Amino acid sequence: MYILQFSTMSDEERQAAEEKMINDEFQALLNDYLNSNHRRKVDIITKAFNLANEAHKGARRRSGEPYIMHPLAVARIVSREMGLGSTSISAALLHDVVEDTDYTVEDIRMMFGDKIAQIVDGLTKISSGMFGDNVSAQAENFRKLLLTMSEDIRVILIKIADRLHNMRTLSSMAPAKQFKITGETLYIYAPLAHRLGLFAIKTELEELCFKYEHPDIYAELTRKIEETAPERNKIYEHFAEPVIKALDKMDIQYEMRARVKSVYSIWKKMEAKGISFEEVYDLFAVRIIFEVTPGMDEKKQCWDIYSAITDIYKLRPDRIRDWLSHPKSNGYQALHLTVMGPDGKWIEIQIRSRRMDDIAEKGFAAHWKYKENRVEEDSELDKWIRTIQEILANPNPNAIDFLDTVKMNLFSSEIFVFTPKGEIITLPQDATALDFAYRIHTRIGDHCLGAKVNHTLVPLSYKLKSGDQVEILTSQTVNPQPEWLNFVTTAKARTKIEASLRRQKRRIAEKGKVMLEELFNNEPIDNNVMTKILNYYKVEKREDLYYLIGNNEVVLPESPDRFYKIKETLPKSENLFMKYMKQAMSAMKKSSVETSPIVPQSDSNKKNISSSPAVDTKEVYELKEERFKKNFIVAPCCKPLPGDDVFGYINDRNEVEVHKRSCETGIKLKSNFGDRIIAVRWGDYHQYSFLASIAFTGIDRIGILNTILSKLSEDVVVNIQSVNVSSNDGIFEGVINVHVHSVEDVNLLCSKIAKVDGVSTVHRSLI
């Protein structure tokens, strides 16, 4: 838009137009701020804008617009969509000044004071290198982000606003860069926004990721949502008419509206359940937002509205969600219920006060608006930040494992369980008895022997359910074991177990070191001799050798003479030079076939593949049929087919590993290994076939399988690998594994099966 508007202007006209655009955007920011309930500190915001505007003068974004438009946009998100005040707005305007210009944090401190300087410093630390080229640096910077967040939550709020604006302007980036950024966003930023209660921002981040990763599916689902709007409106109007009459009689101020699910959440449901768009029954939810009547209890008003609705419509008891008495850990409060509407459709209803709605949309930032009366509402966020601080106090040395550990607790649903004394404990969905033990105290977790759930003895791995009462049994003779890591789902428990196991390993290694030194009469061990010992026991590091000795996994000889007698010979495996020469000779023989460049895979090569990439990461890589299994492979985790939305990842063997863009493993790769991600494009496949799986269900009848198989073989020869069908109480379930050339082949086969009388559902599934 900017380029189209200004490309025909002279330099003077363009400069004047840009200045007007910048000043208009700044005035819009001030209007956002003045329309809030914050104190009127316009002077400091204006001062921050003037400095940022001067510092970024002449710089442009990739889209072509002046760079200052980015900090202005971030500041507007911080003000209008998060509800933050002058300190955060000023820090947002200045968030790139220290990183991109000659100004220092000390300069910011001198001009704006300690608080703004501290926030800008935190943003600078996590921005320079956050999710950069070096994988360890990526996780290390995320660790910095969390550390800074625990000091001032506004750092991460501004960082999320920064990411949201980058996502809104992602179209100007190259495809490979887009995949990297969407991967980071889905892996870290959307879960962080969710945990901080920024529901509207979390939803938009997911929608934008989906739009860039699956543009065709996004467009198709958007079209279907628009096409079905009249039918939904009719269902809503039939439902709303008697409810409005009932609420009007209660003499309360309220608004009621239907809110359609996001395109991303609809698609996720379709993928998870293997259903079509038409089979998603809960496309929209009804939201009732009321103003609290002075002198009335807001929770009681929620239940009064609930009572009025259930007097009209039949309730579905298993779908009640009471987040009033026990808010979610991100502060979310509401009362959810599902009723059978007049058109025979289940309708979900969310009942909230205006305060609850503010917190649901703007998260903990909105708490500050109500803080005078409801300080206790911040307690759940404080608990989460304390958990983060505990993880940071005992970080996993492996940076990526650390990232995963924190990620575990960012996006989890919650359950409520009770201690023997009746205290309520909040835990993530699928938390176990061992998670509960570590939630109570680290010492209780470390010595956990078992548990009693509802007075019944259960193992450590027992998964808890909401309402369970849990008592932990301990013994001082019990210590954490490696298999315990398979029993936990919370970040705190995993961190504490890993820290304990590392301490145990260090103690055993110390014991092993003493045993080895005693063998040599406590005399220094020559480096050559130590190398011989390591080779003899086939161990790479001294610490690993000490651990094996201390743990009695290797037996030392009675005398050190045994080691002196070992001859210095080359290891049986080929050395690096010979290995490289063999690879080179092999490559020369295959010179008629296009292959990846072959490099000796030293340890440093394995850690940083970007030093010798197989392909040009800036170009779109063609997935040609003749290259398959030579230059690229399909990932076994998601098994993409030609026609799927995919991206490429350059693995340690210099192969292009092709993943679906929606693949969970792929999302992790995109967020952690940005320098190895490339854009790819399918070629035509006529000879090579891929194995695909089609699942179907329906009403059982004699000969239905024969009907399905004959339908599949109509017009085309189908290479079926296997068929598995089972029947129970008149319902059958079947899976056909078949060789295909593309997604189109799968869709064609699915449509044929769907036409068979008695088949109710059919979809492609993972093998």
Side-chain angles (χ1 to χ4, degrees), residues 310-328:
T310 52
D311 282 346
I312 302 169
Y313 297 117
K314 184 72 175 174
L315 177 72
R316 183 171 168 176
D318 63 320
R319 295 289 295 167
I320 297 175
R321 298 291 181 267
D322 176 11
W323 303 113
L324 298 176
S325 305
H326 306 292
K328 291 185 178 183

Side-chain angles (χ1 to χ4, degrees), residues 408-519:
M408 281 167 59
N409 277 26
L410 285 179
F411 227 164
S412 52
S413 301
E414 292 160 329
I415 59 171
F416 299 106
V417 295
F418 296 89
T419 67
K421 292 183 179 179
E423 181 188 350
I424 292 179
I425 301 292
T426 306
L427 288 168
Q429 191 83 39
D430 295 331
T432 63
L434 190 54
D435 285 309
F436 179 88
Y438 276 103
R439 176 70 172 77
I440 299 299
H441 198 281
T442 301
R443 277 201 306 274
I444 292 175
D446 283 347
H447 301 296
C448 182
L449 180 65
K452 284 185 177 180
V453 175
N454 305 324
H455 309 291
T456 302
L457 195 64
V458 298
L460 301 179
S461 57
Y462 180 84
K463 287 188 178 180
L464 302 174
K465 300 182 290 294
S466 271
D468 283 344
Q469 188 173 41
V470 189
E471 178 186 355
I472 299 298
L473 308 175
T474 61
S475 170
Q476 292 303 309
T477 60
V478 173
N479 287 298
Q481 301 300 312
E483 58 266 25
W484 283 20
L485 292 170
N486 300 324
F487 301 161
V488 293
T489 60
T490 61
K492 178 180 178 180
R494 179 171 290 275
T495 303
K496 296 298 183 184
I497 292 168
E498 287 173 342
S500 178
L501 292 174
R502 286 196 298 273
R503 287 194 299 271
Q504 288 179 46
K505 187 172 182 178
R506 280 197 299 270
R507 284 196 298 269
I508 293 170
E510 282 295 324
K511 176 185 169 187
K513 184 181 179 184
V514 170
M515 291 168 66
L516 184 62
E517 288 173 347
E518 286 177 350
L519 179 68

Side-chain angles (χ1 to χ4, degrees), residues 380-395:
E380 290 297 336
L381 178 66
D382 292 338
K383 286 179 192 172
W384 182 65
I385 288 178
R386 281 199 297 274
T387 301
I388 294 298
Q389 288 169 333
E390 287 178 2
I391 296 169
L392 291 165
N394 297 281

Side-chain angles (χ1 to χ4, degrees), residues 602-616:
S602 67
D603 288 342
S604 61
N605 288 127
K606 287 177 183 175
K607 288 177 183 174
N608 188 4
I609 198 74
S610 63
S611 61
S612 52
V615 293
D616 185 351

Side-chain angles (χ1 to χ4, degrees), residues 421-688:
K421 292 183 179 179
E423 181 188 350
I424 292 179
I425 301 292
T426 306
L427 288 168
Q429 191 83 39
D430 295 331
T432 63
L434 190 54
D435 285 309
F436 179 88
Y438 276 103
R439 176 70 172 77
I440 299 299
H441 198 281
T442 301
R443 277 201 306 274
I444 292 175
D446 283 347
H447 301 296
C448 182
L449 180 65
K452 284 185 177 180
V453 175
N454 305 324
H455 309 291
T456 302
L457 195 64
V458 298
L460 301 179
S461 57
Y462 180 84
K463 287 188 178 180
L464 302 174
K465 300 182 290 294
S466 271
D468 283 344
Q469 188 173 41
V470 189
E471 178 186 355
I472 299 298
L473 308 175
T474 61
S475 170
Q476 292 303 309
T477 60
V478 173
N479 287 298
Q481 301 300 312
E483 58 266 25
W484 283 20
L485 292 170
N486 300 324
F487 301 161
V488 293
T489 60
T490 61
K492 178 180 178 180
R494 179 171 290 275
T495 303
K496 296 298 183 184
I497 292 168
E498 287 173 342
S500 178
L501 292 174
R502 286 196 298 273
R503 287 194 299 271
Q504 288 179 46
K505 187 172 182 178
R506 280 197 299 270
R507 284 196 298 269
I508 293 170
E510 282 295 324
K511 176 185 169 187
K513 184 181 179 184
V514 170
M515 291 168 66
L516 184 62
E517 288 173 347
E518 286 177 350
L519 179 68
F520 284 84
N521 297 318
N522 292 318
E523 293 180 4
I525 304 173
D526 183 79
N527 283 337
N528 289 333
V529 176
M530 179 58 77
T531 301
K532 289 180 181 182
I533 298 172
L534 292 172
N535 286 337
Y536 180 78
Y537 289 114
K538 298 178 182 175
V539 180
E540 290 185 5
K541 297 179 182 176
R542 293 188 183 203
E543 291 75 14
D544 294 338
L545 173 67
Y546 297 149
Y547 175 76
L548 293 173
I549 296 170
N551 210 35
N552 298 319
E553 292 184 38
V554 300
V555 181
L556 292 174
E558 294 181 2
S559 168
D561 295 342
R562 174 80 170 272
F563 298 124
Y564 290 117
K565 294 176 182 177
I566 299 173
K567 293 181 181 179
E568 284 195 59
T569 56
L570 284 171
K572 289 182 181 178
S573 58
E574 300 159 322
N575 64 37
L576 194 61
F577 177 73
M578 290 303 295
K579 185 177 180 181
Y580 174 57
M581 289 301 292
K582 277 198 170 185
Q583 287 180 322
M585 292 296 290
S586 175
M588 288 171 65
K589 288 177 183 177
K590 297 177 181 178
S591 58
S592 60
V593 182
E594 184 180 358
T595 59
S596 306
I598 299 173
V599 294
Q601 290 292 300
S602 67
D603 288 342
S604 61
N605 288 127
K606 287 177 183 175
K607 288 177 183 174
N608 188 4
I609 198 74
S610 63
S611 61
S612 52
V615 293
D616 185 351
T617 56
K618 294 179 181 178
E619 296 294 326
V620 178
Y621 184 79
E622 190 84 26
L623 301 174
K624 296 179 180 177
E625 188 169 25
E626 60 269 21
R627 286 177 172 173
F628 185 51
K629 289 191 175 178
K630 296 185 181 75
N631 278 51
F632 76 90
I633 58 171
V634 295
C637 49
C638 55
K639 297 182 176 65
L641 301 176
D644 280 326
D645 292 330
V646 290
F647 72 95
Y649 163 71
I650 304 172
N651 64 23
D652 287 343
R653 295 182 299 279
N654 275 334
E655 298 168 320
V656 175
E657 203 174 279
V658 183
H659 289 260
K660 286 184 183 177
R661 293 179 194 167
S662 57
C663 170
E664 289 295 324
T665 303
I667 290 172
K668 183 176 175 180
L669 291 173
K670 283 183 284 187
S671 65
N672 288 330
F673 301 97
D675 58 323
R676 301 196 195 185
I677 302 303
I678 61 169
V680 297
R681 180 172 54 237
W682 289 109
D684 293 326
Y685 283 75
H686 303 292
Q687 294 182 345
Y688 196 88

Side-chain angles (χ1 to χ4, degrees), residues 175-191:
K177 194 79 170 174
Q178 288 180 355
F179 298 149
K180 173 184 179 293
I181 291 171
T182 55
E184 293 169 4
T185 303
L186 284 176
Y187 193 65
I188 293 296
Y189 285 100

Side-chain angles (χ1 to χ4, degrees), residues 290 292 296-302 353 355-356 374:
F290 65 91
V292 178
M296 281 283 287
D297 180 76
E298 81 179 325
K299 292 178 187 175
K300 183 180 183 303
Q301 282 195 258
C302 281
S353 68
R355 179 191 69 84
M356 295 175 190
R374 297 184 177 269

